[in-house]
Amino acid sequence: MGNFPLMPEQASTFAGPYDVLFLVTTILTVVFTGLVSALVVFFALRYRKGNKVNRKGAHDEHLPLELTWTILPLILGLVIFFWAAALFTHMRSAPKDAMEIYVIGKQWMWHIQHPDGVRENNELHVPLGKPVKLIMISQDVLHSFFIPQFRVKQDVIPGRYTTLWFEPSKVGRYNLLCAEYCGTQHSEMGGFVEVMEQAEYQKWLASKGARNFDQKLTMEKAGEAIYKQYNCAGCHEANDSIRGPSLAGLFGKVVALEKGDSVTADNSYVREAILSPNDRLTKGYIASMPTYKGQITEEQTLQLMAHIKTLGVAQPKPTMAPAVSPPAGSTDPSVPDVRPTGTPE
Amino acid sequence: MGVHTAHNAESSDHAAVSHQFEDIGQQNEIYIVGMWTFLVTEIMFFGVLFFAYVLYRWKFGDVFYEAHKVLNVRLGFINTTVLLTSSLFMALGVRSAMLKNRKMTLFWLISVIVCAFAFMVIKYFEYSAKIAAHEIPGPFFQWHGPGSAGQAEIFFSLYFAMTGLHGIHVLIGIITLGILAWMVAVKHKAVDDYMPIEMFGLYWHFVDIVWIFLFPLFYLMPHG
Amino acid sequence: MKEETNSMPAHDAPQVNYLNWSHTVKSWLLTGDHKRIAMLYLISVSAFFLVGSAAAGLIRLELTSPRGVLLENETYNKIFTMHGVVMVFFFLIPAIPAILGNFLVPLMIGARDLAFPRLNLLSWYVYMAGGVCAVIAMMTGGVDTGWTFYTPYSSMYSKSQVVWAICGAFFAGFSSIFTGINFIVTIHKMRAPGLTWFRLPLFVWAQYATSVIMILGTPVIAITLLLVVVERTLHIGIFDPKLGGDPVLFQHLFWFYSHPAVYIMILPSMGVISELMACFSRKRVFGYSFVAFSSLAIAALGFLVWGHHMFVSSQSMYQGMVFSIISTVVAVPSAIKVFNWTATMYKGSIRLETPMYYALGFLGLFLIGGLTGLYLSSMATDIHLHDTYFVVAHFHYVMVGGTIMGYLGGLHFWWPKMTGRLYSEFWGRLSAILVFLGFNATFMPQFVVGYLGMPRRYHYYYLMPEFQIWHVLSSFGSILLAVGFMLPAFYLTWSYLKGPKAGPNPWNATGLEWTTQSPPMSHNFDEPPIVTEEAYAYDAEAEEAEDIEEAPAAKPAHAPKPAGG
């Protein structure tokens, strides 16, 4: 577009449908503004004082007309609403197989961790054509993760995970910005997103891992180390024990709580269960687990969660487990499988 | 509103009618509408805090239950009684004002002041006990009960914020009552008519009602 | 409403009016007269507008270069916060209600004053107390939270004068609560005999709807901001995420007021536009009851749409959808108003004088402002545009294009009533045109740069240097806009001192305020008016016929066509 850029690049699968909706809304805006402005100017000139025009039969009110211009904008608005709601739902529903990348926002940088341990600051490298899901949390104030060329944005909040997904559709380097005001260097909190061919990305991962020597542990491995360090397995054994429930296949499972209700084990629940375990006790257990708040960092929490995700796939209800022998072929939960779920090393 | 009476020759001869009104009837109607409108704003004021309370109690119900045990139900109950009694005195005061019984009006107004003052004194003892026990949010906060300390701190934040705002209303009430009582005592023309006292009565009953909600929400939590 | 323009004797003897009955400072500072209080507000609100505009000028200067021009990050953040706080709490919210509303509501309903004159005066003092707090905040180092005061930045992290700034907003809020109570009671109980609800001027309807929002919404923001203060100072906090508190709760409470606050700003302006459209088209406002009820509909629905500020703030998808659909619906009453105003012009006898210039400018800008709201109320489009310059442009179109155009239009319309003087039509029209053009030049580029992805509250944009061209265009536009805003300050001051006498009804308008002298006396009306007609008893057809009779020579060159448009 030369010196007068009018449109951000389209670099994700959202950008196309987004821009169509944007364009349609723009056409609507221009048509309505044009129409009413033209009428106003026309009336102002035609019916100007002193112009000899027919002024007979002017109405004060006209119900059909009122209803027309009440209902017509309402219908148009609702059309836009349903269209936008459909697109929004799509933009908010990450595919199951999306690659998970962890993001920590802090004043004033983005700290990013890839599943296999590669970390980067203010840069995000992603492979082309692969859905990517970001799991994000803030360490201090509100931030907002914004990539204009992908048409995605999500606030990043302290004390709570938020997610964002996209599928890059074009190789190149794009803006990574913080869109929620976060203090002095808010406008400098950002960098770039680099979309790479799949092979390039693998190469990048490999070399990046080698360069950052102390960070070459994968998320899961790092998490496993923490798991060992705090002797989590002492209580959370392969099967439910008296001291603590098994964590195998925890993610996605519905956990019955002591209070009688239940919760689906997602990122936020597991984080809460680690940091303040006694807030929502699992059914059948007493408050015996110490709190890890202040003892492990947000980063370590994320690693721990990555590890817990590897502890076996979702099992049948644990109460059934002792009675029935494990189905053939499934991993034996007593030996935590640390095989990375995503990319190989 | 005496500033402009010079421009207002045709104003009613009734001393207590302000210049912008036609007569005492209109003035009284306007006081009533004005007072109720004001009370609507008050409801919105407290509404925010009640909303926050509901949200957090729904999220942190267990810890809230544990934390509420720390509050002194006996003092809370006494305070409820004191405040309810003051509301009764207030109603009697309004009645005396309507009957133009100046002495009794004064007596009831002062009784209300005494009750309100007693309420504040009891509140003072409650607060200082909480502060001494490190149950005031902030750097000195300590929580020994079961459950998350952070959530208990939020309970006490709400407790202090809500009862504090209520306490400020009681204080404003005491000051206003003092002024009203003084006006009645010196036969100020503004209180010739009973309406100012009735209006204050509305305010006082409102403050009372807020407490009626606060008391069970904080002191009498059911388990579960 | 009897027109008395023709029978008005030439007043050469100095008449006693609300301005000149006493010149002592005390008579001003202790006044209970709604008209004098309006003038006090006019002066103080204008002063704050100057401060806010100066901040805006600095912002535009900084953004001409991707690496800034003369400010530090910290200073820039304080400047835009000051711009927001001052403009929102000290200019936009009080502008029309406290100045024009204060002056006109009693006059329009034939009352001697507002119901509670001392409360009215108190509201000005409270406003000034808030202003002093805001000034202290600026003088002692400034505030860097943005006018939204989002937690936990405002409560835990910012090292600036948050408490003073919040006190400023808190007091300003009380001032508008007092004004709201006063208007509601006055409009309910003090209308002149015969002035039924459906004979009220639409400006009064708009003030009524505004007051409802003021009394229901403002306490919420007041207490919410107070909670931030006690969290900051006493650690009695409920938003702290470290304790498990919810920082997003603050956003909910904040926008529960601050979205309706947009309607506090725009509704009175819409009321002004209704008056102007009727008077300068010489016609009754088309669809009176639709325009009146649309104000109430906006006031009611306006309370249910706050969540559209939070589509990307982690609220659930379904929550977002509810807010989105209500936000779409709330656009309809605004659209109804615009269509009705347009229809009012049809077959009118249109006089293009200064206030009408502003009114027509309002229509254009408000249309764009309103329609771009559609992008932000539909969730998918909002994701990308949220917190970018697109939003900045949108709300400036609504608040500057809507509120300030209406305010200036109203000020020019009632200026002869407020001061008894006329101003120069030439300068008036010129400034209206300059504001309109300058405004579009300033904010149209911001739509583009926002769509490109320029986040708001960005000092530097060296990561996206290609945005510079749009920022430079916008900054040039702002010069034009500034000139447009400055002109009225000069020619209106001249008019106040030296302008020709206006007479009671220079526009030949209907409405009770035009039946009394200009400027009115302290007690407004010598005899309490009695209303026997509906509002806007204009008759374009008859007026034109009179004109033709006066000049019978002028025959139409073309045969009168049946009106098509």
Side-chain angles (χ1 to χ4, degrees), chain C residues 26 36 61 81 158 160-161 178 225 233 344 373 437-438 447 475:
Chain C
K26 191 181 155 206
R36 283 199 159 195
L61 175 66
T81 303
S158 172
S160 57
Q161 299 293 336
F178 293 158
L225 290 178
T233 53
T344 304
L437 295 179
F447 279 124
S475 297

Side-chain angles (χ1 to χ4, degrees), chain C residues 118-146:
Chain C
R118 278 184 294 193
L119 188 67
N120 198 16
L121 181 63
L122 180 64
S123 93
W124 181 72
Y125 276 103
V126 171
Y127 170 83
M128 289 310 282
V132 168
C133 290
V135 170
I136 291 176
M138 291 170 210
M139 294 293 153
T140 54
V143 200
D144 69 344
T145 59

Side-chain angles (χ1 to χ4, degrees), chain C residues 222-299:
Chain C
I223 209 75
T224 307
L225 290 178
L226 206 60
L227 281 171
V228 173
V229 170
V230 293
E231 179 151 353
R232 230 184 126 79
T233 53
L234 306 174
H235 305 282
I236 296 182
I238 61 168
F239 303 124
D240 183 359
K242 288 203 179 71
L243 304 180
D246 188 354
V248 180
L249 174 64
F250 173 85
Q251 295 180 29
H252 278 291
L253 297 174
F254 180 85
W255 289 113
F256 180 81
Y257 164 76
S258 293
H259 190 79
V262 176
Y263 301 116
I264 294 183
M265 300 170 200
I266 193 73
L267 275 174
S269 179
M270 291 169 158
V272 170
I273 299 304
S274 297
E275 301 295 313
L276 299 186
M277 279 295 176
C279 176
F280 292 96
S281 303
R282 315 304 299 168
K283 271 186 68 196
R284 186 173 149 81
V285 171
F286 193 87
Y288 173 97
S289 50
F290 277 83
V291 179
F293 279 116
S294 63
S295 289
L296 293 185
I298 289 174

